[in-house]
Amino acid sequence: MRITGIKTLVVNAEMRNWVFVKVLTDQDGLYGWGEASLNWKTRAVVGAVEDIEPLLIGRDPRDIEQCLRVMNKHSYYRLGIIGATAISGIEHALWDIFGKSVGLPVWRLLGGKVRDKVRVYTHLGLGDMRSVYETFDKGALREKALAVVENGYDALKVVFIPYSHFTADIPSRRHVAILMETLRDAVGDGVEIMVDFHGRPASISAALQFIDELVPYRPMFCEEPVQPGDADAMRIVAERSSCPIATGERLVGIKEFEPLFMSKGAHIVQPDLNHTGGLLEGKRIAAAAEAAFMGVAPHNPNGPLAGVAALHFDVSTPNFVIQEEMSGAVPWYDAVVQTPLHREGSYWSVPTAPGFGVEIDENAAARHPFKPEVIHTLAAVLGDGTIVDW
């Protein structure tokens, strides 16, 4: 079996673009699908896939480890998030091919089943990205949170830490406490709440001040309280916080996670299997996290194929905690992609179809061509004009 080509298919899902990757083989009807979506970097990722394609033509797609070595080592320059996202999408497709070729779901090939269902959570707005990033009013927060719970979820994530700098002023801290109190009162103690800081505090002290406001309302975890890449800063936050701390969505590969493991800089790590190098790299990260007494809650605000890849990972990963998902983000979600993402309450069921068990209607996908995405970062400016982290 040999790889004969790699194609990309861009589908605009209103607030973001999905980048699907199709790896073709010389076996009739045997191909694989993956996803390489990256917000605001669509054309760059598509170009990276095109650049990588010649490295894999003629290779056996089932030799996944070897294909990864080729893509990483023969690119010469170390790959950042764009290259790693392109590789992740291609690697997903290789697993899909492998599973189809042997008639087994991908989770079987990743080590087999370690759980009977996969717990998931979603965001405010059930896929509407404006609701995710622009809900700072307590009335709207309550309404949108109740809508999530009414849809069967028992866990949700919010992003209402204000655009910050090196200090956290008293009105901002009080408003965060009011929002969290409103949220907890609305959903009760039976619903887990995760608060995504989005790396907005520019100092450890500001992050801790906001965390102190949240702790009385028992969040499941506080995510990315400071900008990624400084394991010592994360360690200080984790040590001083009485709330579990999560991070990792912007780290690429196990090398960038290693300082976090060594410093015990978090309680939960969040590799994005769509960005960090694929499923094999994700399994390495998960194994190292388990050795460091950390759980894994994969990041995934991406499209349906990224969700399916995460599902297979979650089924086979012992220290998995909970999965972020964005299914139903657009009304025509199921018209373009057929997936095994079947949710009952706040759990996905375990898929049984060979490979990833997905299929894409390329004609339906063509009705939603690339469009420039909404740039949320334009709002991340303080009153004096200072540009801060989104």
Side-chain angles (χ1 to χ4, degrees):
M1 187 190 303
R2 294 290 180 264
I3 295 171
T4 58
I6 303 176
K7 295 169 49 181
T8 55
L9 176 63
V10 177
V11 178
N12 179 259
E14 297 181 9
M15 298 296 288
R16 64 177 60 209
N17 291 299
W18 298 333
V19 180
F20 298 144
V21 179
K22 187 177 187 180
V23 175
L24 307 171
T25 76
D26 59 0
Q27 305 294 305
D28 287 344
L30 183 57
Y31 51 83
W33 283 108
E35 183 172 340
S37 304
L38 182 62
N39 45 303
W40 308 316
K41 305 292 188 297
T42 298
R43 288 165 289 197
V45 171
V46 168
V49 172
E50 293 173 354
D51 288 340
I52 290 169
E53 179 188 25
L55 300 176
L56 296 183
I57 298 297
R59 293 188 176 275
D60 191 321
R62 297 165 297 183
D63 293 333
I64 297 173
E65 187 76 75
Q66 188 76 332
C67 287
L68 283 170
R69 289 179 67 82
V70 168
M71 289 189 283
N72 281 291
K73 292 183 175 296
H74 286 184
S75 294
Y76 181 61
Y77 292 103
R78 291 293 176 258
L79 298 173
I81 188 66
I82 292 170
T85 300
I87 287 174
S88 297
I90 294 169
E91 193 245 28
H92 292 171
L94 300 182
W95 282 108
D96 192 26
I97 291 169
F98 188 9
K100 289 175 180 176
S101 73
V102 294
L104 294 172
V106 168
W107 57 261
R108 283 281 183 208
L109 308 178
L110 293 174
K113 184 173 66 172
V114 298
R115 59 185 42 83
D116 297 323
K117 55 184 179 178
V118 170
R119 193 179 187 193
V120 299
Y121 70 90
T122 193
H123 297 257
L124 299 182
L126 298 165
D128 172 24
M129 300 305 293
R130 286 193 175 93
S131 294
V132 174
Y133 296 113
E134 299 173 17
T135 303
F136 292 92
D137 173 77
K138 69 177 185 178
L141 178 70
R142 180 183 183 88
E143 178 183 346
K144 292 172 183 178
L146 288 173
V148 171
V149 176
E150 287 167 5
N151 272 270
Y153 292 92
D154 66 8
L156 60 90
K157 182 188 284 184
V158 293
V159 188
F160 56 44
I161 301 300
Y163 299 117
S164 307
H165 208 24
F166 288 89
T167 59
D169 61 76
I170 293 173
S172 294
R173 289 157 57 188
R174 283 181 174 167
H175 188 59
V176 165
I178 289 169
L179 292 176
M180 189 64 176
E181 181 183 25
T182 299
L183 191 56
R184 179 56 73 198
D185 287 347
V187 302
D189 289 345
V191 174
E192 295 281 15
I193 300 170
M194 289 142 279
V195 182
D196 188 351
F197 280 48
H198 237 238
R200 289 173 181 174
S203 68
I204 294 169
S205 61
L208 289 169
Q209 285 178 310
F210 283 123
I211 289 171
D212 287 344
E213 301 292 346
L214 299 170
V215 165
Y217 306 100
R218 302 169 300 282
M220 184 178 187
F221 57 71
C222 291
E223 175 179 331
E224 211 171 41
V226 293
Q227 282 288 308
D230 190 329
D232 286 335
M234 286 298 306
R235 174 184 54 78
I236 293 170
V237 172
E239 286 176 349
R240 298 185 183 181
S241 168
S242 56
C243 167
I245 299 299
T247 193
E249 69 181 65
R250 288 189 266 181
L251 301 181
V252 177
I254 192 169
K255 288 292 186 183
E256 293 192 5
F257 277 88
E258 280 179 348
L260 201 62
F261 299 143
M262 293 177 68
S263 69
K264 299 293 190 294
H267 306 101
I268 296 171
V269 293
Q270 301 171 290
D272 190 314
L273 304 166
N274 204 53
H275 300 148
T276 201
L279 295 177
L280 269 182
E281 195 71 1
K283 295 292 281 188
R284 293 186 183 105
I285 291 166
E290 187 173 25
F293 299 97
M294 297 180 188
V296 178
H299 176 260
N300 176 40
N302 305 305
L305 297 191
V308 173
L311 169 59
H312 285 264
F313 172 89
D314 302 339
V315 169
S316 63
T317 300
N319 55 330
F320 165 78
V321 177
I322 195 167
Q323 176 63 54
E324 180 177 17
E325 67 104 19
M326 298 286 276
S327 60
V330 287
W332 41 265
Y333 194 93
D334 295 323
V336 170
V337 184
Q338 297 177 9
T339 76
L341 297 177
H342 300 301
R343 181 174 62 87
E344 293 184 12
S346 208
Y347 290 87
W348 279 338
S349 57
V350 176
T352 57
F356 280 144
V358 304
E359 194 50 77
I360 295 179
D361 185 331
E362 297 188 48
N363 291 325
R367 292 195 283 271
H368 305 280
F370 167 83
K371 292 181 183 178
E373 294 164 304
V374 175
I375 303 178
H376 298 282
T377 54
L378 296 176
V381 182
L382 301 184
D384 64 358
T386 299
I387 294 174
V388 292
D389 289 304
W390 172 57

